[in-house]
Amino acid sequence: MAGFDKERVNSILNSILEQELAGVVRYTHYSFLVFGHGRIPIVSWLREQATESLLHAHQAGEMITHLGAYPSLGIGPLLDRHQGSVDAILRESLVTESKALKLYHALLEAVAGHSVMLEEYARQMIFAEEMHAGEVEKMLRRQGSIVEDLPPEGK
Ligand SMILES: [Fe+2]
């Protein structure tokens, strides 16, 4: 398992852990703020995302202890711009999820060619996060639009 910068990898993994834990809190929080006709499926989707973020946090924590390091007790930044619309929630989630995706890419770069296990883990997470981002982008499209049609920021 030698050959990669263990300290750097642990630091990336801890950032991932914190970012995913922030996701748990953020999605749970968002799920309280959805009203109107679409409430039930949207609330349940947001809570599924909270559960998935918790699973991702567990996976990152397990990787940290696998490497003999100590998992952070911290939590990533929690944005709350008090924007209640579902579009705003989804756009905010795209921004924060892209930070997690960058961390998984950084992990892949740090371990590439040195650890099949960590490489495989990073690749699987990149796959999961990119699929997730794609799903959110589809939710932000307008009906009848096949391409990304994000409304301008602030609307
Ligand atoms: Fe995640």
Side-chain angles (χ1 to χ4, degrees), residues 46-101:
L46 289 166
R47 292 193 181 152
E48 274 169 33
Q49 304 318 302
T51 303
E52 198 177 303
S53 288
L54 183 58
L55 174 68
H56 292 175
H58 289 169
Q59 289 170 308
E62 292 296 342
M63 286 296 166
I64 292 163
T65 53
H66 182 92
L67 295 174
Y70 190 75
S72 165
L73 198 56
I75 184 163
L78 296 169
L79 305 171
D80 183 6
R81 300 190 188 119
H82 302 283
Q83 293 179 349
S85 84
V86 174
D87 272 8
I89 286 172
L90 292 177
R91 277 203 308 278
E92 194 169 279
S93 125
L94 266 187
V95 170
T96 51
E97 294 285 354
S98 77
K99 287 182 189 159
L101 183 60

Side-chain angles (χ1 to χ4, degrees), residues 5-92:
D5 182 344
K6 216 168 164 183
E7 216 165 290
R8 173 161 163 70
V9 167
N10 281 321
S11 150
I12 297 170
L13 283 168
N14 266 312
S15 299
I16 289 171
L17 172 59
E18 292 178 2
Q19 189 74 25
E20 295 289 8
L21 285 174
V24 176
V25 176
R26 212 174 41 246
Y27 283 117
T28 302
H29 176 74
Y30 291 152
S31 79
F32 302 136
L33 301 173
V34 179
F35 306 103
H37 298 148
R39 176 177 153 75
I40 290 170
I42 294 170
V43 165
S44 102
W45 183 83
L46 289 166
R47 292 193 181 152
E48 274 169 33
Q49 304 318 302
T51 303
E52 198 177 303
S53 288
L54 183 58
L55 174 68
H56 292 175
H58 289 169
Q59 289 170 308
E62 292 296 342
M63 286 296 166
I64 292 163
T65 53
H66 182 92
L67 295 174
Y70 190 75
S72 165
L73 198 56
I75 184 163
L78 296 169
L79 305 171
D80 183 6
R81 300 190 188 119
H82 302 283
Q83 293 179 349
S85 84
V86 174
D87 272 8
I89 286 172
L90 292 177
R91 277 203 308 278
E92 194 169 279

